[in-house]
Amino acid sequence: MDDRALAGDLATAAGELLLQIRVGGLAGKQLGKEGDMRSNEFLMAQLANRRPDDAVLSEESADDKSRLHADRVWIVDPVDGTREYGVPGRTDWAVHVALWSAEGGGTLIAGAVALPALGITYVDDDSVIEPTDGLASSPRGERPRVVVSGSRPPAFSQPVADAIGGTVLQMGSAGAKAMAVVRGEADAYVHAGGQYEWDSAAPVAVAEAKGLWCGRIDGSPLVYNRDDTYLPDLVICRPELRDKIIAVTSAG
């Protein structure tokens, strides 16, 4: 199985496991903790078995710095949006599985984002994704939507929306917000409240494959598999909106 197919299969399977755990009687923080642990155990075991020579960076495992010298590093978030996962009925949580390669100076070469509560997994290919349940699709004649964190919206949320003549919409999970832009249900996702590499690696791999622009709020590129995994800000948007958005987000 190639890397892209493996990323998709693992994200999907971890999502199915999380759905099973979710109906087991736990709730809130206890459910989130159990989901994080068991999804991480599943992903780490699968990667150890199926890609034993690759390194892994996971939110829920100790950071093995040998990855800094590895040719290939899987970057995973077993539950992106743990808080939303613990709330009955919430669908805006995800599983992220991405693969970074040292070739060419370092780049993401595969990625998958599963939205288990919606029964969807997106991978980094050029297939056409049809809008699904979640945010209602808006005709292009309507005002653009800028999705931001529901718990940590950036100060420039409204100025960004104003710059593109749009509106602000809050959601959970970086993966859910990024995939809303992929589906065309939103036009941009902006974030500056703090993230780590596992929060954005898989969503960025998918979004870039769909033709979206992805980068830092100052317009610089996103760099993965660094010693310091803190990657605090992110913009994912339709390419034609990039300059207007960066003009706002880079102004400080």
Side-chain angles (χ1 to χ4, degrees):
M1 180 179 291
D2 68 22
D3 294 323
R4 178 176 293 118
L6 179 59
D9 280 2
L10 292 183
T12 300
E16 291 171 350
L17 172 62
L18 287 163
L19 289 174
Q20 294 173 10
I21 297 169
R22 208 182 194 196
V23 297
L26 299 176
K29 291 183 179 180
Q30 188 177 14
L31 173 59
K33 183 177 180 180
E34 182 74 7
D36 269 330
M37 179 188 70
R38 291 178 57 184
S39 179
N40 186 62
E41 288 175 348
F42 169 79
L43 291 170
M44 296 295 285
Q46 288 291 315
L47 288 169
N49 180 53
R50 302 171 76 169
R51 295 293 189 271
D53 296 328
D54 294 352
V56 182
L57 171 64
S58 171
E59 179 181 15
E60 300 302 325
S61 292
D63 185 2
D64 183 348
K65 295 295 186 177
S66 65
R67 65 179 173 79
L68 297 173
H69 310 289
D71 291 330
R72 290 159 48 96
V73 181
W74 293 87
I75 304 175
V76 303
D77 191 344
V79 183
D80 180 61
T82 305
R83 181 173 64 87
E84 289 77 17
Y85 172 69
V87 178
R90 291 290 294 261
T91 61
D92 50 345
W93 52 277
V95 178
H96 298 172
V97 179
L99 176 60
W100 175 93
S101 171
E103 291 185 10
T107 188
L108 298 170
I109 61 171
V113 176
L115 301 178
L118 300 180
I120 313 165
T121 298
Y122 300 96
V123 296
D124 66 316
D125 58 22
D126 58 1
S127 61
V128 176
I129 300 297
E130 296 295 333
T132 59
D133 293 340
L135 293 176
S137 297
S138 57
R140 285 296 81 190
E142 292 187 6
R143 298 178 68 190
R145 287 169 165 170
V146 179
V147 287
V148 300
S149 170
S151 58
R152 293 172 294 169
F156 50 62
S157 299
Q158 191 59 53
V160 166
D162 292 342
I164 64 173
T167 60
V168 175
L169 181 65
Q170 295 185 349
M171 293 178 65
S173 170
K177 290 189 284 285
M179 295 308 101
V181 184
V182 165
R183 288 197 296 271
E185 297 173 347
D187 301 271
Y189 163 34
V190 295
H191 182 79
Q195 286 185 342
Y196 291 84
E197 291 188 14
W198 45 76
D199 292 305
S200 65
V204 164
V206 174
E208 288 184 335
K210 310 301 182 184
L212 298 172
W213 184 83
C214 304
R216 301 285 304 273
I217 61 173
D218 62 0
S220 63
L222 296 152
V223 181
Y224 294 92
N225 196 37
R226 304 169 306 161
D227 183 22
D228 183 357
T229 60
Y230 188 58
L231 193 53
D233 53 71
L234 171 69
V235 176
I236 297 177
C237 66
R238 289 165 41 201
E240 65 269 25
L241 300 178
R242 184 261 184 202
D243 290 349
K244 289 182 177 179
I245 292 173
I246 294 302
V248 175
T249 59
S250 63

